[in-house]
Amino acid sequence: MNRNTLERDLKKVGVSLKGWLPVLQCDVCKHHWEPFSAAVGASAPTVRFDYWQCKNKCNAGAQPSHELQTALPKYIVINDVPGMLFGEEDREEFEEYVQSMDATIIPNN
Ligand SMILES: [Zn+2]
């Protein structure tokens, strides 16, 4: 999944990415959410297939592209920096982004 294609398709249903942050934001009401269900036990958070829907139903009637419906945003943490990937080809870019950050300003949760 090409990140730029996905970002464009998300825009069509009124949703924005916020950089690498593992959140999506509604263009209408500005509500933002994590497109993953809660982690259970030791397993990684899993994605909801309706992950692109605003919880306030702003885009409930939108028709997502096939790419959007089959994309599986993946939660990732590198060096305590959380991010969201849409495919393995994103990983390298995210790693470079993490390395470019000043480690001293990363909040430690
Ligand atoms: Zn909304």
Side-chain angles (χ1 to χ4, degrees):
M1 171 53 59
N2 182 293
R3 195 177 183 88
N4 292 332
T5 305
L6 202 91
E7 187 163 14
R8 198 184 61 216
D9 286 355
L10 278 170
K11 267 284 167 199
K12 286 182 190 162
V13 296
V15 175
S16 294
L17 289 176
K18 293 177 73 67
W20 289 101
L21 290 175
V23 297
L24 296 173
Q25 183 174 44
C26 176
D27 287 342
V28 178
C29 69
K30 304 300 177 196
H31 172 69
H32 51 84
W33 67 93
E34 295 194 5
F36 314 96
S37 54
V40 177
S43 64
T46 52
V47 70
R48 299 166 51 90
F49 65 90
D50 58 350
Y51 68 92
W52 52 271
Q53 282 187 356
C54 173
K55 300 300 166 282
N56 295 329
K57 312 256 185 244
C58 299
N59 60 1
Q63 291 294 317
S65 66
H66 181 69
E67 282 74 18
L68 261 195
Q69 286 178 305
T70 53
L72 293 177
K74 208 166 94 184
Y75 189 87
I76 186 173
V77 178
I78 297 178
N79 294 347
D80 289 338
V81 180
M84 179 165 58
L85 304 183
F86 288 102
E88 278 306 304
E89 64 268 31
D90 283 356
R91 180 186 289 268
E92 204 173 314
E93 212 181 316
F94 181 63
E95 284 172 355
E96 283 170 16
Y97 163 77
V98 170
Q99 281 162 13
S100 73
M101 289 177 78
D102 182 352
T104 59
I105 60 163
I106 298 171
N108 192 2
N109 26 288

